[in-house]
Amino acid sequence: MHPQLPSLGANSSSTDRRLSALIRHLEGSSSSSSAMESQNQTISASATSAFSDNSVFGHVVRAPEDAILGVTVAYNKDPSPVKLNLGVGAYRTEEGKPLVLTVLQFALICSSRVKEYLPIVGLADFNKLSAKLIFGADSPAIRENRVTTVQCLSGTGSLRVGAEFLAKHYHQRTIYIPQPTWGNHVKIFTLAGLSVKTYSYYDPATRGLNFQGLLEDLGSAPSGAIVLLHACAHNPTGVDPTLQQWEQIRQLMRSKGLLPFFDSAYQGFASGSLDADAQSVRMFVADGGECLAAQSYAKNMGLYGERVGALSIVCKTADVAGRVESQLKLVIRPMYSNPPIHGASIVATILKDRNMFNEWTIELKAMADRIISMRQQLFDALCARGTPGDWSHIVKQIGMFTFTGLNSQQVTFMTKEYHIYLTSDGRISMAGLSSKTVPHLADAIHAAVTRVA
Ligand code: PGU
C-alpha cells in the first residue's frame, strides 16, 4: 500500500472529518441568515464576482433548499434528542424507524439477479402488472390493448416523461393543477414545456373541498386542456372528492374534452384498499376515453430510494397506443436511456405471486390504519388540551398528510421551540408520528396557536 494512502478504515474517518469540516463551513456561511441569502439571489452575474471567486462559476447564486426535502436537511442538522421530522411523506414505524416491508424481504430472495440493461420502456412484466394494479384486472382498456405502460423513475419520473410527451405531441400545452398541490408539479410541468395554470381545490374556511370553485374553473378551461388530478390522498390537503363528485368532474371534463393526467402516488394509503384508491382513475377509463396515469411505488411498497414507477397512457385504439409507445421511447432514450432493474423486479415479483400480493395488501392496510390511528390520537390530544379552534379536519382528511391550517410563523415557532420539522404551509406527515410523539406535537401546536398569531 502507498505510505500516504490511508487504509479503508482510516479513509472513512478522514471522510467523516472532511464532511464535518464542510458542515461547519456551510453552517458558518448560513449563520448570517436568510437576509444574506436573498441578497445573494439578487446579485446578478458579473465579471467581478466571477473573478473574485477565481471561478468561472463565481456568478452562480446559492439556490434555496427544496421546500419539502430541505426540511429533512434542516432536521438532520438539529442535535436535539426530541427532534421530530414530519416534513417528508415517508412512513415510519411506532418506533420512528423507516419500515422495510416483510414482503420485500421475501421478494428480494426470489427476484431476478440479472443486471443487464432493460429495454427503454423497462421490465415488461412490471409494466403489465402495474397497469393491472391501477386500472383493475378486468379493465377493458387493457383487454383491448389500448394501454401503453412504460417503467419510469418513480412518480416524479413518470410525471416528467408524460409531460415531455404531451409537450411534444399533444395539441394543448396548458395543464391545470389543483391549488394547492405537491410543490414539484409546477416545476416538472414547466420544465417539460407545458404552461401551468391552477384550478380551485381547497377551501381554507371549511378545510375541505371547494367543489363549486373546482367545477367553475375546469368549466372555463379551454377545451382540450390537460388537467392534473390526484388519484387519491391529495397532497398536501388530504381532501379528496367523493365518488359522486368524481363522477361530476368526469362528466364535465369529458364534455369539454379536457385530458385527465392522474398522479397516483398513494394507492392503498388513503383507504387501505388498492382497489378503492384507484376508483377515480377507473371511472375515467371505464367511459372509453383517453387519459394518463403516473404511478409510484415509493410509499405503498416502501421503495422510496429505488425509484420505481410507471407511466400509462390509455388510448382509443391499440394502434394509437403502439405509436404513442414508440414516441415515449424517444422521450426516454436521451433522458436516462432505460430504467433501473432492481426495484422493478422486486415489484414484479410481488405483483405476480398471489401469496406475496396478499401479504403486501395486509402490510399496506396496517400502514394506512396506523396513520388513521395517529389522526385520532392527535385530535384527542388537542381536545384534551383545549387547544382553541376546530381540529376535526385532522380526522376527516385522508392519506399521509394533515393540512393543519397552521401558518408559517407558527411552523417556524414549532421548529425553533419544539424541534418539530414540517413544511412551511403547515402540512404534517402523519406517517412520521407515533403514540410516543403525539403529546410533544400536541404541546407544540397548542403553544403555537395560543402564543403566535
Ligand atoms: N406525486 C405526489 C402527489 C407526491 O406527493 C409525490 C411525493 C410524488 C408524486 C413523487 O414521488 P416519487 O418519490 O417520485 O415516487 N411527495 C412526497 C415525497 C417527497 C417529495 O417531495 O418528493 C412529499 O413529501 O410530498
Side-chain angles (χ1 to χ4, degrees):
M1 190 189 289
H2 190 285
Q4 282 179 333
L5 281 182
S7 68
L8 197 60
N11 189 23
S12 67
S13 72
S14 80
T15 308
D16 290 346
R17 275 198 301 279
R18 263 181 284 132
L19 275 177
S20 43
L22 183 64
I23 289 166
R24 274 199 306 279
H25 172 77
L26 289 174
E27 279 170 350
S29 65
S30 65
S31 62
S32 44
S33 94
S34 56
M36 174 81 169
E37 202 137 281
S38 59
Q39 201 186 33
N40 272 346
Q41 281 163 31
T42 56
I43 296 172
S44 59
S46 76
T48 321
S49 63
F51 284 122
S52 66
D53 285 347
N54 199 23
S55 164
V56 292
F57 304 116
H59 62 286
V60 174
V61 293
R62 182 176 303 281
E65 288 286 357
D66 182 80
I68 298 173
L69 301 182
V71 173
T72 302
V73 175
Y75 168 85
N76 286 338
K77 283 186 190 159
D78 187 339
S80 167
V82 298
K83 66 179 178 176
L84 186 56
N85 187 1
L86 304 177
V88 68
Y91 186 82
R92 296 287 177 265
T93 61
E94 264 291 291
E95 287 69 46
K97 300 269 180 328
L99 177 69
V100 180
L101 300 186
T102 311
V103 70
L104 283 190
Q105 297 164 31
F106 282 120
L108 259 175
I109 300 164
C110 310
S111 62
S112 161
R113 298 278 190 280
V114 172
K115 296 297 171 205
E116 289 297 296
Y117 285 133
L118 281 178
I120 297 172
V121 296
L123 196 66
D125 267 358
F126 167 87
N127 289 338
K128 227 186 286 160
L129 294 159
S130 294
K132 219 171 102 180
L133 186 72
I134 190 153
F135 300 124
D138 53 355
S139 167
I142 296 178
R143 211 172 39 241
E144 293 154 16
N145 268 328
R146 298 191 280 111
V147 184
T148 167
T149 303
V150 293
Q151 180 194 332
C152 296
L153 303 183
S154 213
T156 307
S158 308
L159 290 164
R160 182 66 188 260
V161 168
E164 297 271 347
F165 169 81
L166 290 171
K168 227 168 168 192
H169 298 284
Y170 187 58
H171 67 93
Q172 252 285 4
R173 301 278 145 76
T174 307
I175 183 160
Y176 282 75
I177 61 174
Q179 173 60 35
T181 192
W182 178 49
N184 215 11
H185 279 149
V186 180
K187 294 170 214 163
I188 292 171
F189 296 127
T190 307
L191 286 174
L194 297 173
S195 139
V196 176
K197 293 214 164 105
T198 59
Y199 63 88
S200 302
Y201 190 84
Y202 181 72
D203 181 357
T206 62
R207 295 193 177 141
L209 186 67
N210 176 2
F211 190 51
Q212 217 42 48
L214 179 152
L215 291 180
E216 278 163 25
D217 290 351
L218 294 188
S220 52
S223 144
I226 310 153
V227 179
L228 190 277
L229 301 161
H230 293 228
C232 70
H234 181 273
N235 177 10
T237 68
V239 173
D240 283 354
T242 62
L243 281 183
Q244 289 77 5
Q245 287 170 332
W246 271 121
E247 176 53 22
Q248 273 178 270
I249 296 169
R250 188 195 65 76
Q251 284 175 14
L252 173 70
M253 286 184 57
R254 290 310 193 199
S255 73
K256 294 203 53 157
L258 302 174
L259 182 66
F261 192 162
F262 282 98
D263 181 354
S264 178
Y266 300 95
Q267 190 180 354
F269 256 98
S271 66
S273 153
L274 288 159
D275 287 325
D277 289 356
Q279 279 312 305
S280 56
V281 180
R282 292 179 191 175
M283 277 165 70
F284 278 77
V285 177
D287 67 16
E290 299 179 302
C291 71
L292 291 85
Q295 278 170 275
S296 167
Y297 289 98
K299 329 278 166 148
N300 58 12
M301 275 205 197
L303 285 170
Y304 306 89
E306 289 292 352
R307 314 305 295 145
V308 203
L311 170 76
S312 287
I313 305 189
V314 179
C315 305
K316 282 274 182 194
T317 66
D319 181 48
V320 175
R323 282 183 276 134
V324 165
E325 181 162 315
S326 72
Q327 289 296 337
L328 284 173
K329 285 158 79 172
L330 296 191
V331 171
I332 292 167
R333 172 69 168 143
M335 212 191 269
Y336 54 86
S337 189
N338 52 77
I341 194 166
H342 185 68
S345 2
I346 294 174
V347 172
T349 303
I350 294 170
L351 295 183
K352 78 176 144 201
D353 179 279
R354 180 125 54 103
N355 290 333
M356 281 196 222
F357 187 91
N358 289 341
E359 170 63 27
W360 174 45
T361 59
I362 292 164
E363 291 190 76
L364 185 53
K365 176 86 169 62
M367 287 195 282
D369 284 349
R370 200 187 78 74
I371 295 173
I372 291 167
S373 90
M374 286 305 110
R375 291 185 179 282
Q376 193 60 50
Q377 287 186 30
L378 180 60
F379 176 69
D380 293 345
L382 290 172
C383 292
R385 282 161 182 73
T387 307
D390 175 2
W391 296 96
S392 59
H393 57 288
I394 295 179
V395 279
K396 281 186 211 142
Q397 294 173 356
I398 54 171
M400 264 194 169
F401 305 110
T402 289
F403 206 45
T404 57
L406 293 164
N407 62 38
S408 61
Q409 289 92 315
Q410 291 167 328
V411 170
T412 306
F413 168 86
M414 285 166 59
T415 305
K416 223 168 139 228
E417 303 294 325
Y418 287 82
H419 305 275
I420 294 177
Y421 290 79
L422 56 149
T423 51
S424 62
D425 58 2
R427 185 192 84 165
I428 283 179
S429 172
M430 299 306 286
L433 209 52
S434 73
S435 308
K436 279 184 225 104
T437 53
V438 162
H440 182 51
L441 175 61
D443 288 344
I445 294 178
H446 186 85
V449 169
T450 49
R451 287 164 50 188
V452 185

